[in-house]
CSV table of all heavy atoms in Angstrom, one decimal:
chain,number,residue,atom,x,y,z
A,1,ALA,N,0.9,-1.2,0.0
A,1,ALA,CA,0.0,0.0,0.0
A,1,ALA,C,0.9,1.3,0.0
A,1,ALA,O,2.0,1.2,0.6
A,1,ALA,CB,-0.9,0.0,1.2
A,2,HIS,N,0.4,2.3,-0.6
A,2,HIS,CA,1.1,3.6,-0.7
A,2,HIS,C,1.1,4.2,0.8
A,2,HIS,O,0.2,4.0,1.5
A,2,HIS,CB,0.5,4.5,-1.7
A,2,HIS,CG,1.2,5.8,-1.9
A,2,HIS,ND1,1.1,6.9,-1.2
A,2,HIS,CD2,2.2,6.1,-2.8
A,2,HIS,CE1,1.9,7.9,-1.6
A,2,HIS,NE2,2.6,7.4,-2.6
A,3,HIS,N,2.2,4.9,1.0
A,3,HIS,CA,2.4,5.4,2.4
A,3,HIS,C,1.3,6.4,2.8
A,3,HIS,O,1.1,6.7,3.9
A,3,HIS,CB,3.8,6.0,2.6
A,3,HIS,CG,4.1,7.1,1.7
A,3,HIS,ND1,3.6,8.4,1.8
A,3,HIS,CD2,4.8,7.2,0.5
A,3,HIS,CE1,4.1,9.2,0.9
A,3,HIS,NE2,4.8,8.5,0.1
A,4,SER,N,0.6,7.0,1.7
A,4,SER,CA,-0.4,8.0,2.1
A,4,SER,C,-1.7,7.3,2.7
A,4,SER,O,-2.5,7.9,3.3
A,4,SER,CB,-0.8,8.7,0.8
A,4,SER,OG,-1.3,7.8,-0.2
A,5,HIS,N,-1.8,6.0,2.4
A,5,HIS,CA,-2.9,5.2,3.1
A,5,HIS,C,-2.3,4.7,4.4
A,5,HIS,O,-1.9,3.6,4.6
A,5,HIS,CB,-3.3,4.0,2.2
A,5,HIS,CG,-3.7,4.4,0.8
A,5,HIS,ND1,-3.6,3.5,-0.2
A,5,HIS,CD2,-4.3,5.5,0.4
A,5,HIS,CE1,-4.0,4.1,-1.3
A,5,HIS,NE2,-4.5,5.4,-1.0
A,6,ARG,N,-2.4,5.6,5.4
A,6,ARG,CA,-1.7,5.4,6.7
A,6,ARG,C,-2.0,4.1,7.4
A,6,ARG,O,-1.1,3.4,7.9
A,6,ARG,CB,-1.9,6.6,7.6
A,6,ARG,CG,-1.4,7.9,6.9
A,6,ARG,CD,-1.4,9.1,7.9
A,6,ARG,NE,-0.9,10.3,7.2
A,6,ARG,CZ,-0.6,11.4,7.9
A,6,ARG,NH1,-0.8,11.5,9.2
A,6,ARG,NH2,-0.2,12.5,7.2
A,7,THR,N,-3.3,3.9,7.5
A,7,THR,CA,-3.7,2.7,8.3
A,7,THR,C,-3.2,1.4,7.6
A,7,THR,O,-2.6,0.5,8.3
A,7,THR,CB,-5.2,2.6,8.4
A,7,THR,OG1,-5.7,3.8,9.1
A,7,THR,CG2,-5.6,1.4,9.2
A,8,ALA,N,-3.4,1.3,6.3
A,8,ALA,CA,-2.9,0.2,5.6
A,8,ALA,C,-1.4,0.1,5.6
A,8,ALA,O,-0.8,-1.0,5.8
A,8,ALA,CB,-3.4,0.2,4.1
A,9,PHE,N,-0.7,1.2,5.4
A,9,PHE,CA,0.8,1.2,5.4
A,9,PHE,C,1.3,0.8,6.8
A,9,PHE,O,2.3,0.0,6.8
A,9,PHE,CB,1.3,2.6,5.0
A,9,PHE,CG,2.8,2.7,4.9
A,9,PHE,CD1,3.5,2.3,3.8
A,9,PHE,CD2,3.5,3.2,6.0
A,9,PHE,CE1,4.8,2.4,3.8
A,9,PHE,CE2,4.9,3.3,5.9
A,9,PHE,CZ,5.6,2.9,4.8
A,10,ASP,N,0.7,1.3,7.8
A,10,ASP,CA,1.2,0.9,9.2
A,10,ASP,C,1.0,-0.6,9.4
A,10,ASP,O,1.8,-1.2,10.0
A,10,ASP,CB,0.5,1.8,10.2
A,10,ASP,CG,1.0,3.2,10.2
A,10,ASP,OD1,2.0,3.5,9.5
A,10,ASP,OD2,0.3,4.0,10.9
A,11,SER,N,-0.2,-1.1,9.0
A,11,SER,CA,-0.5,-2.5,9.2
A,11,SER,C,0.5,-3.4,8.4
A,11,SER,O,1.1,-4.3,9.0
A,11,SER,CB,-1.9,-2.8,8.7
A,11,SER,OG,-2.1,-4.2,8.7
A,12,ASN,N,0.8,-3.0,7.2
A,12,ASN,CA,1.8,-3.8,6.4
A,12,ASN,C,3.2,-3.6,6.9
A,12,ASN,O,4.0,-4.6,6.9
A,12,ASN,CB,1.8,-3.3,4.9
A,12,ASN,CG,0.4,-3.6,4.3
A,12,ASN,OD1,-0.3,-4.5,4.6
A,12,ASN,ND2,0.1,-2.7,3.2
A,13,THR,N,3.6,-2.5,7.4
A,13,THR,CA,4.9,-2.3,8.0
A,13,THR,C,5.0,-3.2,9.3
A,13,THR,O,6.0,-3.7,9.5
A,13,THR,CB,5.1,-0.8,8.3
A,13,THR,OG1,5.0,-0.1,7.1
A,13,THR,CG2,6.5,-0.6,8.9
A,14,GLY,N,3.9,-3.2,10.0
A,14,GLY,CA,3.9,-4.1,11.2
A,14,GLY,C,4.1,-5.5,10.9
A,14,GLY,O,4.8,-6.3,11.5
A,15,ALA,N,3.5,-6.0,9.7
A,15,ALA,CA,3.6,-7.4,9.3
A,15,ALA,C,5.0,-7.6,8.9
A,15,ALA,O,5.6,-8.7,9.1
A,15,ALA,CB,2.6,-7.6,8.1
A,16,ALA,N,5.7,-6.6,8.2
A,16,ALA,CA,7.1,-6.8,7.8
A,16,ALA,C,8.0,-6.9,9.0
A,16,ALA,O,8.9,-7.7,9.0
A,16,ALA,CB,7.5,-5.6,6.9
A,17,TYR,N,7.7,-6.1,10.0
A,17,TYR,CA,8.5,-6.1,11.2
A,17,TYR,C,8.4,-7.5,11.9
A,17,TYR,O,9.4,-8.0,12.4
A,17,TYR,CB,7.9,-5.0,12.2
A,17,TYR,CG,8.7,-4.8,13.4
A,17,TYR,CD1,9.9,-4.1,13.4
A,17,TYR,CD2,8.4,-5.4,14.7
A,17,TYR,CE1,10.7,-3.9,14.6
A,17,TYR,CE2,9.1,-5.2,15.8
A,17,TYR,CZ,10.2,-4.4,15.8
A,17,TYR,OH,11.0,-4.2,16.9
A,18,GLU,N,7.2,-8.1,11.9
A,18,GLU,CA,7.0,-9.4,12.5
A,18,GLU,C,7.7,-10.5,11.7
A,18,GLU,O,8.3,-11.4,12.2
A,18,GLU,CB,5.5,-9.8,12.6
A,18,GLU,CG,4.8,-8.9,13.6
A,18,GLU,CD,3.3,-9.3,13.7
A,18,GLU,OE1,2.9,-10.2,13.0
A,18,GLU,OE2,2.6,-8.6,14.4
A,19,VAL,N,7.7,-10.4,10.4
A,19,VAL,CA,8.4,-11.3,9.5
A,19,VAL,C,9.9,-11.3,9.8
A,19,VAL,O,10.5,-12.4,9.9
A,19,VAL,CB,8.1,-11.0,8.0
A,19,VAL,CG1,9.0,-11.8,7.1
A,19,VAL,CG2,6.6,-11.4,7.7
A,20,LEU,N,10.5,-10.1,9.8
A,20,LEU,CA,11.9,-10.0,10.0
A,20,LEU,C,12.3,-10.4,11.4
A,20,LEU,O,13.4,-10.9,11.7
A,20,LEU,CB,12.4,-8.6,9.7
A,20,LEU,CG,12.4,-8.1,8.3
A,20,LEU,CD1,12.9,-6.7,8.2
A,20,LEU,CD2,13.2,-9.1,7.4
A,21,GLY,N,11.4,-10.2,12.4
A,21,GLY,CA,11.7,-10.4,13.8
A,21,GLY,C,11.3,-11.8,14.3
A,21,GLY,O,11.5,-12.1,15.5
A,22,GLY,N,10.7,-12.6,13.4
A,22,GLY,CA,10.3,-13.9,13.9
A,22,GLY,C,11.4,-14.8,14.4
A,22,GLY,O,12.4,-15.0,13.7
A,23,GLY,N,11.3,-15.2,15.6
A,23,GLY,CA,12.4,-16.1,16.2
A,23,GLY,C,12.2,-17.5,15.8
A,23,GLY,O,11.2,-18.1,15.7
A,24,GLY,N,13.3,-18.2,15.6
A,24,GLY,CA,13.4,-19.6,15.3
A,24,GLY,C,13.7,-20.4,16.5
A,24,GLY,O,13.8,-19.8,17.7
A,25,ARG,N,14.1,-21.6,16.3
A,25,ARG,CA,14.4,-22.5,17.5
A,25,ARG,C,15.7,-22.0,18.1
A,25,ARG,O,16.0,-22.3,19.3
A,25,ARG,CB,14.6,-23.9,17.0
A,25,ARG,CG,13.2,-24.5,16.5
A,25,ARG,CD,13.5,-25.8,15.8
A,25,ARG,NE,12.2,-26.3,15.2
A,25,ARG,CZ,12.2,-27.4,14.4
A,25,ARG,NH1,13.3,-28.1,14.1
A,25,ARG,NH2,11.0,-27.7,13.8
A,26,ARG,N,16.6,-21.4,17.4
A,26,ARG,CA,17.9,-21.0,17.9
A,26,ARG,C,18.1,-19.5,17.9
A,26,ARG,O,19.2,-19.0,18.0
A,26,ARG,CB,19.0,-21.7,17.1
A,26,ARG,CG,19.0,-23.2,17.0
A,26,ARG,CD,20.1,-23.7,16.2
A,26,ARG,NE,20.0,-25.1,16.0
A,26,ARG,CZ,19.3,-25.7,15.0
A,26,ARG,NH1,18.6,-25.0,14.2
A,26,ARG,NH2,19.2,-27.0,14.9
A,27,ARG,N,17.0,-18.8,17.7
A,27,ARG,CA,17.1,-17.3,17.5
A,27,ARG,C,16.0,-16.6,18.3
A,27,ARG,O,14.9,-17.0,18.2
A,27,ARG,CB,17.0,-17.0,16.0
A,27,ARG,CG,17.2,-15.5,15.7
A,27,ARG,CD,17.2,-15.3,14.2
A,27,ARG,NE,17.3,-14.0,13.9
A,27,ARG,CZ,16.3,-13.0,13.8
A,27,ARG,NH1,15.1,-13.4,14.1
A,27,ARG,NH2,16.5,-11.8,13.5
A,28,ALA,N,16.4,-15.6,19.1
A,28,ALA,CA,15.4,-14.8,19.8
A,28,ALA,C,14.7,-13.9,18.8
A,28,ALA,O,15.2,-13.5,17.8
A,28,ALA,CB,16.1,-14.0,20.9
A,29,ALA,N,13.4,-13.6,19.2
A,29,ALA,CA,12.6,-12.7,18.3
A,29,ALA,C,13.2,-11.3,18.4
A,29,ALA,O,13.7,-10.9,19.4
A,29,ALA,CB,11.2,-12.8,18.7
A,30,GLY,N,13.0,-10.6,17.3
A,30,GLY,CA,13.4,-9.2,17.3
A,30,GLY,C,14.1,-8.8,16.0
A,30,GLY,O,14.8,-9.7,15.4
A,31,VAL,N,13.9,-7.6,15.5
A,31,VAL,CA,14.6,-7.1,14.3
A,31,VAL,C,15.9,-6.5,14.7
A,31,VAL,O,16.0,-5.5,15.5
A,31,VAL,CB,13.7,-6.1,13.6
A,31,VAL,CG1,14.5,-5.6,12.3
A,31,VAL,CG2,12.4,-6.8,13.1
A,32,ASP,N,17.0,-6.9,14.1
A,32,ASP,CA,18.3,-6.3,14.4
A,32,ASP,C,18.6,-5.3,13.3
A,32,ASP,O,18.0,-5.2,12.3
A,32,ASP,CB,19.4,-7.4,14.6
A,32,ASP,CG,19.6,-8.2,13.3
A,32,ASP,OD1,19.4,-7.7,12.2
A,32,ASP,OD2,19.9,-9.4,13.4
A,33,GLY,N,19.7,-4.5,13.7
A,33,GLY,CA,20.1,-3.4,12.8
A,33,GLY,C,20.5,-3.9,11.4
A,33,GLY,O,20.3,-3.2,10.4
A,34,ARG,N,21.1,-5.1,11.3
A,34,ARG,CA,21.5,-5.6,10.0
A,34,ARG,C,20.4,-5.9,9.1
A,34,ARG,O,20.4,-5.4,7.9
A,34,ARG,CB,22.3,-6.9,10.2
A,34,ARG,CG,22.9,-7.4,8.9
A,34,ARG,CD,23.7,-8.7,9.2
A,34,ARG,NE,22.9,-9.7,9.8
A,34,ARG,CZ,22.1,-10.6,9.1
A,34,ARG,NH1,22.0,-10.4,7.8
A,34,ARG,NH2,21.4,-11.5,9.7
A,35,LEU,N,19.3,-6.5,9.5
A,35,LEU,CA,18.2,-6.9,8.7
A,35,LEU,C,17.4,-5.6,8.4
A,35,LEU,O,16.9,-5.4,7.2
A,35,LEU,CB,17.2,-7.8,9.4
A,35,LEU,CG,17.7,-9.3,9.4
A,35,LEU,CD1,16.7,-10.1,10.2
A,35,LEU,CD2,17.8,-9.8,8.0
A,36,TYR,N,17.3,-4.7,9.3
A,36,TYR,CA,16.7,-3.4,9.1
A,36,TYR,C,17.3,-2.6,8.0
A,36,TYR,O,16.7,-2.1,7.0
A,36,TYR,CB,16.7,-2.6,10.4
A,36,TYR,CG,16.4,-1.1,10.3
A,36,TYR,CD1,15.1,-0.6,10.1
A,36,TYR,CD2,17.4,-0.2,10.6
A,36,TYR,CE1,14.9,0.7,10.0
A,36,TYR,CE2,17.2,1.2,10.5
A,36,TYR,CZ,15.9,1.6,10.3
A,36,TYR,OH,15.7,3.0,10.2
A,37,SER,N,18.7,-2.5,8.0
A,37,SER,CA,19.4,-1.8,7.0
A,37,SER,C,19.3,-2.5,5.6
A,37,SER,O,19.2,-1.8,4.6
A,37,SER,CB,20.9,-1.7,7.4
A,37,SER,OG,21.0,-0.9,8.6
A,38,GLU,N,19.3,-3.8,5.6
A,38,GLU,CA,19.1,-4.6,4.4
A,38,GLU,C,17.8,-4.3,3.7
A,38,GLU,O,17.7,-4.1,2.5
A,38,GLU,CB,19.3,-6.1,4.6
A,38,GLU,CG,20.7,-6.5,4.8
A,38,GLU,CD,21.5,-6.4,3.5
A,38,GLU,OE1,20.9,-6.4,2.4
A,38,GLU,OE2,22.8,-6.2,3.6
A,39,LEU,N,16.7,-4.2,4.6
A,39,LEU,CA,15.4,-3.9,4.0
A,39,LEU,C,15.4,-2.5,3.4
A,39,LEU,O,14.8,-2.3,2.3
A,39,LEU,CB,14.4,-4.0,5.1
A,39,LEU,CG,12.9,-3.7,4.7
A,39,LEU,CD1,12.4,-4.6,3.6
A,39,LEU,CD2,12.0,-3.7,5.9
A,40,LEU,N,16.0,-1.5,4.1
A,40,LEU,CA,16.0,-0.2,3.6
A,40,LEU,C,16.8,-0.1,2.3
A,40,LEU,O,16.4,0.6,1.3
A,40,LEU,CB,16.6,0.8,4.6
A,40,LEU,CG,15.9,0.9,6.0
A,40,LEU,CD1,16.5,2.1,6.8
A,40,LEU,CD2,14.4,1.1,5.8
A,41,ARG,N,17.9,-0.8,2.2
A,41,ARG,CA,18.6,-0.8,0.9
A,41,ARG,C,17.8,-1.4,-0.2
A,41,ARG,O,17.9,-1.0,-1.3
A,41,ARG,CB,20.0,-1.5,1.1
A,41,ARG,CG,21.1,-0.7,1.7
A,41,ARG,CD,22.4,-1.4,1.6
A,41,ARG,NE,22.5,-2.5,2.6
A,41,ARG,CZ,23.0,-2.3,3.8
A,41,ARG,NH1,23.4,-1.1,4.2
A,41,ARG,NH2,23.1,-3.3,4.7
A,42,SER,N,17.1,-2.5,0.1
A,42,SER,CA,16.3,-3.1,-0.9
A,42,SER,C,15.2,-2.2,-1.4
A,42,SER,O,14.9,-2.2,-2.6
A,42,SER,CB,15.7,-4.4,-0.3
A,42,SER,OG,16.6,-5.3,0.0
A,43,ILE,N,14.5,-1.5,-0.5
A,43,ILE,CA,13.5,-0.5,-0.9
A,43,ILE,C,14.0,0.5,-1.9
A,43,ILE,O,13.5,0.8,-2.9
A,43,ILE,CB,12.9,0.2,0.3
A,43,ILE,CG1,12.1,-0.8,1.2
A,43,ILE,CG2,12.0,1.3,-0.1
A,43,ILE,CD1,11.7,-0.2,2.5
A,44,CYS,N,15.2,1.1,-1.5
A,44,CYS,CA,15.8,2.1,-2.4
A,44,CYS,C,16.3,1.5,-3.7
A,44,CYS,O,16.1,2.1,-4.8
A,44,CYS,CB,17.0,2.7,-1.7
A,44,CYS,SG,16.5,3.8,-0.2
A,45,ARG,N,16.8,0.3,-3.7
A,45,ARG,CA,17.3,-0.3,-4.9
A,45,ARG,C,16.2,-0.7,-5.8
A,45,ARG,O,16.2,-0.4,-7.0
A,45,ARG,CB,18.1,-1.6,-4.5
A,45,ARG,CG,18.8,-2.3,-5.7
A,45,ARG,CD,19.8,-3.3,-5.3
A,45,ARG,NE,19.2,-4.3,-4.4
A,45,ARG,CZ,19.5,-4.4,-3.1
A,45,ARG,NH1,20.3,-3.6,-2.5
A,45,ARG,NH2,18.9,-5.4,-2.4
């Protein structure tokens, strides 16, 4: 969704945050700076 659709954009951004922060069997939940920066680079690219 376009960022001007605030409710939808915030919901989708929250889903992306959960996807990146999903913990596995050997990994604690949470988004680290490396994945965050990679996502921003991907958006710009």
